[in-house]
Amino acid sequence: MIMAKNIANIVNFVRAADFRVDARELLDTYLQELELARSYPLPCTFLLQYDALVKPEYTAPLLDSAGDSRIEVGVWLELCRELVERAGIEWRGRPGCDWDWHVDPDMLMAYTPDERYRLIDLIMEKFREVFGYYPRSAGSWLIDSRSVEYMSEKYQLDAVCVCKEQYGTDGYTLWGGYYNQGYYPSKKNMFLPAQTKGEQVSTPVFKMLGPDPIYQYDDGFDEHYNPSALQHVMTLEPTWGCGANPDWVDWYFDTIYENESLGFAYCQTGQENSFTWKNIAPGLKMQYEKLMALVNAGKIEVMKLCDTGKWFKSKFDSTPATAMSALSDWKGEGRQSVWYDCKNYRVNWYREDGRLGIRDMFGFDENYTERYYDTPSHGNTADYDALPLLDGYRWSGNDIRAMLAFTDSAGRLLDGSITSSENAGGRLRLAFDLDGHTAEALMGETGIEIDTGAVGIELRMSVNSYADTTLSHVDAATVKYSHNGMNYFLRVDGAMFILGENSLRLIPDGTKFKVKFESRG
């Protein structure tokens, strides 16, 4: 049964220069994507980089489609030599590169705030010169909070899209934020939802690329759970293995659209033209067919990115709670993964190899200012993160899987499974089987309520290291953390914490207790 609105966006982002690809092939790929879009009665969005905006061979086909209400045109906010030099700024790209994917010079956070605004204005005015109006949507792999707020206020954008959760891929790290769907960002940190109206940007941000909710998170581990400096890609992108696999795509659509999602279910497909048509075409054509079948069955609505933003703003005054519930495993290995997000925190319940518990938990604080709010990023990389409470990827290693897992009092892992995921009055209720005991967890904005179902069941967290996070204090009811200059807390009511060597025990007084994140003492 469909519990919430099911939305898909088809977003193709378009460059006119890429030193890795012949210019004619870039143009042909874009034209093929546009022709495919015209052949289906499905709304879609094309986001143009500045180097495409200034070339008639890219803009003329979209101007010819001006009467087609299915096709939205917006801007892709990666930068190129022509734009940067027009703004009176030195181009810092590698020799011979008119476009360069390194954060400096490619992304807005590589520039001072005033330079960011100048670059945005040039892009927006060029767009208006060509199309006669300002765009309603913008996207980029990474974008800073000042730029999001500036575009939201000055240009009244309806939607912004950014990269999925990933660690180190292409030098772009987005780690610990709102996992999928969409949120209203903080004015101080694009990556995190705001908690209050006064600190909330009025344009929602949507997460791109459709990550696999089971495997994408730690698809970088070696056989000893050691994380690599960057992750692999397991997404809906048509050029990659998963997105080109019809069986995986069927599983993915069933998972996100047929299972519990709370506020709404969402995915984005489409591809940058740099991957070229011969690599994109098989997967993208296959996905169009599957999306069309879901639309015809009344199961989903394919929307333009701008219309998704308009719907979001009409439906939610603040960031909603959402979920991704993967209760089956497309690999047939028995793994399960449920993500819960709200404006205050996220948590991931996970099952593998007879181990069930929390794989990931991060807190959100609108006052946690992003690194590039005032200071440009002069390097190849950029990092956006939230406040780690349990980082199942970076805190693992040396044969230790970082996870807060159900055990008995002797520390023996309980073989469990997630038996259901359902909406409980706006909160997410998960039911578990723990060696024959029925247990449950109830996630809401104020925290997680857990009923172990039996006395003597507890949760134990094992870690290899806490990476760049410090547990500065632990007492019976509180764990105090420090991360990147922020102090924050994990508190428990109805249980107690005991800190051990590379471990943290959470022992209930009876069977029921509550765990919550707090960002203030």
Side-chain angles (χ1 to χ4, degrees):
M1 179 182 296
I2 297 175
M3 302 299 293
K5 192 174 183 72
N6 290 336
I7 299 171
N9 289 162
I10 303 169
V11 181
N12 296 302
F13 29 112
V14 181
R15 304 185 183 104
D18 187 329
F19 60 89
R20 303 164 299 182
V21 183
D22 182 83
R24 291 168 297 180
E25 194 164 16
L26 284 173
L27 177 61
D28 178 68
T29 299
Y30 153 67
L31 293 174
Q32 295 278 11
E33 288 178 322
L34 184 58
E35 183 61 31
L36 180 64
R38 286 171 171 158
S39 69
Y40 284 85
L42 298 175
C44 67
T45 298
F46 284 84
L47 301 180
L48 301 187
Q49 197 167 277
Y50 185 85
D51 53 10
L53 269 177
V54 299
K55 290 182 170 55
E57 59 265 37
Y58 281 86
T59 57
L62 291 167
L63 289 167
D64 290 343
S65 299
D68 190 341
S69 61
R70 297 171 302 164
I71 298 176
E72 175 196 10
V73 188
V75 294
W76 183 250
L77 291 170
E78 290 188 67
L79 309 178
C80 60
R81 178 194 293 273
E82 185 173 359
L83 171 64
V84 171
E85 291 183 344
R86 186 180 170 197
I89 304 168
E90 178 187 2
W91 173 249
R92 300 187 290 266
R94 287 170 284 181
C97 296
D98 292 329
W99 166 82
D100 187 335
W101 78 74
H102 287 166
V103 168
D104 185 5
D106 190 34
M107 301 296 173
L108 282 164
M109 74 281 304
Y111 300 84
T112 68
D114 285 344
E115 288 172 338
R116 298 170 201 176
Y117 304 152
R118 198 186 323 161
L119 290 162
I120 290 169
D121 287 342
L122 285 171
I123 295 168
M124 293 297 186
E125 289 305 325
K126 185 62 182 181
F127 187 98
R128 187 170 69 90
E129 176 188 321
V130 173
F131 292 102
Y133 58 90
Y134 289 122
R136 310 307 309 154
S137 299
S140 183
W141 295 125
L142 298 170
I143 186 169
D144 64 285
S145 60
R146 284 186 179 273
S147 296
V148 172
E149 184 179 14
Y150 182 75
M151 291 188 295
S152 178
E153 294 299 317
K154 183 170 182 177
Y155 296 103
Q156 302 296 299
L157 283 183
D158 288 315
V160 171
C161 60
V162 298
C163 185
K164 73 179 189 329
E165 182 93 359
Q166 63 181 34
Y167 195 83
T169 306
D170 294 328
Y172 313 150
T173 289
L174 302 96
W175 195 249
Y178 201 99
Y179 193 73
N180 194 51
Q181 283 106 315
Y183 60 95
Y184 288 112
S186 160
K187 293 178 179 180
K188 295 186 180 73
N189 194 326
M190 169 284 303
F191 189 55
L192 303 182
Q195 287 77 57
T196 64
K197 198 79 169 181
E199 289 298 316
Q200 178 174 291
V201 176
S202 59
T203 298
V205 170
F206 297 92
K207 303 301 281 287
M208 300 179 69
L209 307 181
D212 184 308
I214 296 177
Y215 290 99
Q216 173 63 57
Y217 176 80
D218 45 30
D219 189 34
F221 277 166
D222 65 15
E223 65 272 21
H224 301 293
Y225 299 124
N226 297 309
S228 64
L230 58 86
Q231 291 180 302
H232 305 142
V233 177
M234 301 188 74
T235 70
L236 196 57
E237 296 170 86
T239 196
W240 296 109
C242 286
N245 179 343
D247 292 333
W248 182 89
V249 173
D250 283 338
W251 171 86
Y252 185 78
F253 287 157
D254 284 346
T255 292
I256 65 170
Y257 292 134
E258 298 291 346
N259 293 336
E260 185 55 62
S261 62
L262 294 181
F264 68 108
Y266 173 82
C267 77
Q268 175 268 328
T269 190
Q271 195 79 65
E272 58 198 296
N273 59 332
S274 294
F275 280 104
T276 73
W277 186 240
K278 65 179 178 292
N279 296 314
I280 296 170
L284 188 58
K285 290 177 179 178
M286 173 266 293
Q287 289 186 22
Y288 259 95
E289 283 294 306
K290 293 184 182 300
L291 289 172
M292 192 72 249
L294 290 171
V295 169
N296 289 337
K299 292 186 174 183
I300 70 167
E301 184 174 355
V302 176
M303 303 174 74
K304 295 180 288 189
L305 180 58
C306 66
D307 289 339
T308 304
K310 290 175 185 176
W311 171 82
F312 188 96
K313 291 189 286 187
S314 71
K315 180 74 172 177
F316 306 112
D317 291 328
S318 62
T319 297
T322 62
M324 295 179 75
S325 303
L327 303 185
S328 66
D329 181 356
W330 62 276
K331 288 188 177 182
E333 296 178 0
R335 290 175 172 86
Q336 298 174 298
S337 175
V338 177
W339 291 92
Y340 170 85
D341 294 271
C342 68
K343 66 182 180 181
N344 296 318
Y345 70 96
R346 81 176 194 187
V347 64
N348 175 231
W349 289 89
Y350 182 65
R351 183 221 186 193
E352 69 169 12
D353 299 330
R355 181 190 290 115
L356 172 64
I358 294 174
R359 176 171 60 165
D360 173 280
M361 188 176 182
F362 277 75
F364 305 149
D365 185 341
E366 64 192 17
N367 296 305
Y368 179 43
T369 304
E370 67 182 58
R371 293 162 175 80
Y372 317 109
Y373 187 74
D374 292 313
T375 305
S377 172
H378 291 314
N380 298 342
T381 64
D383 296 287
Y384 282 83
D385 62 2
L387 301 175
L389 299 160
L390 169 56
D391 188 333
Y393 186 69
R394 296 187 310 136
W395 294 1
S396 295
N398 294 329
D399 295 313
I400 296 175
R401 151 71 85 178
M403 188 171 172
L404 187 63
F406 285 109
T407 73
D408 62 20
S409 58
R412 183 181 65 89
L413 289 170
L414 298 180
D415 189 8
S417 63
I418 306 170
T419 57
S420 68
S421 174
E422 62 182 18
N423 189 329
R427 297 192 288 175
L428 182 70
R429 177 183 286 120
L430 300 183
F432 309 122
D433 179 89
L434 298 174
D435 276 353
H437 297 287
T438 299
E440 72 172 35
L442 189 63
M443 275 69 69
E445 287 189 350
T446 62
I448 307 170
E449 298 175 13
I450 298 173
D451 185 346
T452 63
V455 174
I457 295 177
E458 58 186 61
L459 287 159
R460 295 193 185 200
M461 181 171 73
S462 298
V463 300
N464 175 55
S465 74
Y466 294 101
D468 52 3
T469 303
T470 300
L471 273 63
S472 57
H473 174 78
V474 178
D475 61 33
T478 305
V479 181
K480 181 180 180 181
Y481 298 79
S482 297
H483 176 81
N484 197 27
M486 289 287 289
N487 294 322
Y488 52 99
F489 307 86
L490 187 66
R491 301 195 191 276
V492 65
D493 182 19
M496 65 182 296
F497 292 114
I498 296 179
L499 181 65
E501 183 178 358
N502 295 328
S503 68
L504 183 72
R505 294 177 64 188
L506 203 167
I507 306 172
D509 296 339
T511 64
K512 297 181 180 180
F513 58 97
K514 183 173 183 178
V515 179
K516 60 180 178 179
F517 160 76
E518 291 183 2
S519 56
R520 292 164 183 81

